[in-house]
């Protein structure tokens, strides 16, 4: 199990800590609302991560093979949702003008995960690499892999949200705050387009 854990972490770290729709989203929300405000969306994202990872581990991939149209439809839907989030960030006002803005909710976190088809590919790939047919305790192995995957992502996204929070303290003037929002919005838009064409 130790060998599996080390190999799994080596596989997951580059995926979880490099810029993607999830961590850029949480960094931007951390910058705009502060680290604490990102917690509900982070919890929602990772509850969905755990549920979907378990489902895939126990055969959801076979169901997706039966109805491939679901996966095809999710790609543009996920890209559109991330693009919408990017637009909201890009057009957001200064950090101290929060009357109409609101932090991301638990449901925003769930939707962000569910509409990201790349997540399904990564999870399926992870299980093909670390869940072998000869394993005695398949249920325990699926649960172990799911727990490691979810916890690793939770730590990564929390660090990105904290980074966003710290960056915002540097960009505290209204002018620099708007520039920061636009930068995060542009990055998130680029990620949305990458999700669509990759």
């Amino acid at each position: 199990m130790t060998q599996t854990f080390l190999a799994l972490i080596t596989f997951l770290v580059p995926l979880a800590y490099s810029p993607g729709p999830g961590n850029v989203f949480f960094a931007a929300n951390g910058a705009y609302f502060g680290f604490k405000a990102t917690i509900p969306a982070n919890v929602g994202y990772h509850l969905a991560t755990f549920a979907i990872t378990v489902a895939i581990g126990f055969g959801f991939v076979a169901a997706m093979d039966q109805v491939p149209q679901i996966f095809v439809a999710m790609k543009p839907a996920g890209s559109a949702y991330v693009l919408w989030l990017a637009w909201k960030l890009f057009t957001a006002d200064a950090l101290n003008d929060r009357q109409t803005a609101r932090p991301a909710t638990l449901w925003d976190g769930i939707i962000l995960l569910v509409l990201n088809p790349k997540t399904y590919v990564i999870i399926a790939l992870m299980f093909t690499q670390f869940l072998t047919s000869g394993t005695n305790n398949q249920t325990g192995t699926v649960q172990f892999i799911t727990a490691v995957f979810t916890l690793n992502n939770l730590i990564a996204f929390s660090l990105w949200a904290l980074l966003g929070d710290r960056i915002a303290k540097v960009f505290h003037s209204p002018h620099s705050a708007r520039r920061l929002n636009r930068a995060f919005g542009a990055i998130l838009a680029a990620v949305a387009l990458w999700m669509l064409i990759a």
Side-chain angles (χ1 to χ4, degrees):
M1 196 62 86
T2 304
Q3 266 188 319
T4 303
F5 174 76
L6 292 174
L8 186 57
I9 287 295
T10 303
F11 171 79
L12 292 176
V13 163
L15 296 172
Y17 292 85
S18 59
N23 37 31
V24 172
F25 170 76
F26 283 106
N29 269 267
Y32 198 75
F33 296 106
F35 176 75
K36 285 184 183 176
T38 67
I39 293 172
N42 210 347
V43 169
Y45 189 97
H46 290 95
L47 285 174
T49 297
F50 188 87
I52 286 172
T53 305
V54 166
I56 290 174
F58 287 127
F60 189 63
V61 172
M64 292 289 280
D65 285 342
Q66 297 296 319
V67 192
Q69 295 85 355
I70 294 173
F71 188 84
V72 172
M74 283 173 58
K75 189 172 183 178
S79 298
Y81 184 71
V82 172
L83 200 56
W84 177 73
L85 292 171
W87 176 251
K88 284 181 68 178
L89 274 172
F90 193 82
T91 58
D93 215 335
L95 291 171
N96 57 0
D97 183 17
R98 302 181 186 182
Q99 287 83 358
T100 57
R102 65 162 180 82
T105 65
L106 182 119
W107 284 107
D108 289 325
I110 291 171
I111 292 168
L112 183 65
L113 184 280
V114 170
L115 290 181
N116 183 3
K118 298 281 186 234
T119 301
Y120 299 86
V121 173
I122 290 168
I123 294 169
L125 179 63
M126 177 178 66
F127 279 118
T128 62
Q129 297 299 310
F130 299 101
L131 184 65
T132 57
S133 57
T135 307
N136 291 330
N137 182 9
Q138 293 276 33
T139 301
T141 305
V142 167
Q143 291 170 342
F144 174 75
I145 291 171
T146 299
V148 171
F149 177 65
T150 305
L151 185 60
N152 181 63
N153 275 359
L154 178 62
I155 292 168
F157 287 15
S158 297
L159 289 174
W160 274 86
L162 193 59
L163 175 67
D165 187 16
R166 294 296 174 259
I167 288 172
K169 288 178 175 33
V170 176
F171 294 88
H172 57 274
S173 74
H175 179 67
S176 60
R178 283 188 197 97
R179 282 176 27 203
L180 181 64
N181 289 342
R182 287 175 182 160
F184 275 127
I187 293 168
L188 204 54
V191 169
L193 294 174
W194 170 78
M195 285 171 64
L196 188 61
I197 62 176

